[in-house]
Amino acid sequence: EVHLEESGGGLVQPGESLRLSCAGSGFIFSDYWMQWVRQAPGKGLEWLASIKPDGTDLYYGGSVRGRFTISRDNIRNVFFLQMNNLRADDTARYFCVRGIGSGIYYNFFDSWGRGTLVTVSS
Amino acid sequence: EIELTQSPGSLSLSPGERATLSCRANQIINGAYLAWYQQKPGQVPRLVLQGASTRASGVPLRFSGSGSGTDFTLTISRLEPEDFAVYYCQQFGAFGQGTKVEVK
């Protein structure tokens, strides 16, 4: 059974950094695109970043490009989201998501972690 | 950048009725790359359709998708109680804002 588990969320002040981790199990981690998606309280879904199975290609949404960095470790079956210069509007639940498909466009989000809550507040 | 606009924002229907949800892109997109997700309160999203019209594993036959170009539709032929949820369309880089299907 596919399992994704996020960690690393918490309360930080504006301008601070946080690193989220997501551990995957139950599947061949290195075969899949992985992404981060967030959802602010009471709001819709926002795609943040995607990383190719071998880690060579990275894609970012406009609201986080330049501040967030996605990476992965296929030996340990884990991937990360380094978040710098956090702002109040980054407050959300952050989901790690597995993608099925052959590329960044043909990439559908079939398995989701439960999410980790990030709160940015002074 | 791709923008996806869903309509209506909410839909009040009774069980057994037909639900028609719309997703419009701000530019022509390849339907093969479009997906629909269902999210119930307190739950994570669930993939419903991929490639605009292919049902994901375990999704009932009452869910269908269609469309091309800039306009795509998710149809639930006869609503069951478990279908009342928020539905999002998605393509690389963007989610629609969601359509809430609620009980009338």
Side-chain angles (χ1 to χ4, degrees), chain A residues 39 44 47 104 108-109 112-114, chain B residues 32 37 39 42 44 51 88 92-93:
Chain A
Q39 188 168 35
W47 169 79
I104 187 58
F108 308 112
F109 304 161
W112 298 62
R114 296 296 306 169
Chain B
Y37 300 85
Q39 187 178 30
V44 302
Y88 297 93
F92 167 64

Side-chain angles (χ1 to χ4, degrees), chain A residues 37 39 43-47 50 59-63 65 95 100 104-110 112-115, chain B residues 1 31-35 37 39 42-47 49-52 88 90-97:
Chain A
V37 173
Q39 188 168 35
K43 302 297 184 182
L45 302 170
E46 181 184 9
W47 169 79
S50 294
Y59 300 85
Y60 296 97
S63 65
R65 192 176 296 124
F95 298 101
I100 54 171
I104 187 58
Y105 287 95
Y106 195 73
N107 179 23
F108 308 112
F109 304 161
D110 78 321
W112 298 62
R114 296 296 306 169
Chain B
E1 283 191 2
Y33 304 148
L34 189 86
Y37 300 85
Q39 187 178 30
Q43 296 187 18
V44 302
R46 172 197 181 195
L47 178 64
L49 298 178
Q50 62 186 67
Y88 297 93
Q90 177 258 336
Q91 202 251 10
F92 167 64
F95 282 93
Q97 80 278 22

Side-chain angles (χ1 to χ4, degrees), chain B:
Chain B
E1 283 191 2
I2 296 270
E3 291 182 10
L4 300 174
T5 302
Q6 293 184 239
S7 61
S10 63
L11 206 48
S12 292
L13 295 168
S14 300
E17 289 193 295
R18 182 184 189 91
T20 303
L21 287 65
S22 172
C23 176
R24 175 165 288 179
N26 65 340
Q27 57 188 272
I28 292 174
I29 63 175
N30 187 333
Y33 304 148
L34 189 86
W36 289 88
Y37 300 85
Q38 174 195 70
Q39 187 178 30
K40 299 178 184 179
Q43 296 187 18
V44 302
R46 172 197 181 195
L47 178 64
V48 176
L49 298 178
Q50 62 186 67
S53 60
T54 302
R55 282 181 299 278
S57 177
V59 174
L61 293 175
R62 61 182 180 272
F63 288 85
S64 63
S66 63
S68 63
T70 60
D71 294 304
F72 297 86
T73 300
L74 168 66
T75 301
I76 310 171
S77 58
R78 290 177 57 86
L79 282 163
E80 296 288 340
E82 62 268 28
D83 300 336
F84 292 92
V86 179
Y87 292 84
Y88 297 93
C89 59
Q90 177 258 336
Q91 202 251 10
F92 167 64
F95 282 93
Q97 80 278 22
T99 290
K100 184 177 183 179
V101 179
E102 55 189 7
V103 179
K104 187 174 181 179

Side-chain angles (χ1 to χ4, degrees), chain A residues 82-98:
Chain A
Q82 176 67 42
M83 305 186 294
N84 296 332
N85 192 21
L86 283 160
R87 310 185 301 224
D89 62 359
D90 293 317
T91 295
R93 180 166 292 275
Y94 286 70
F95 298 101
C96 70
V97 185
R98 187 182 81 163

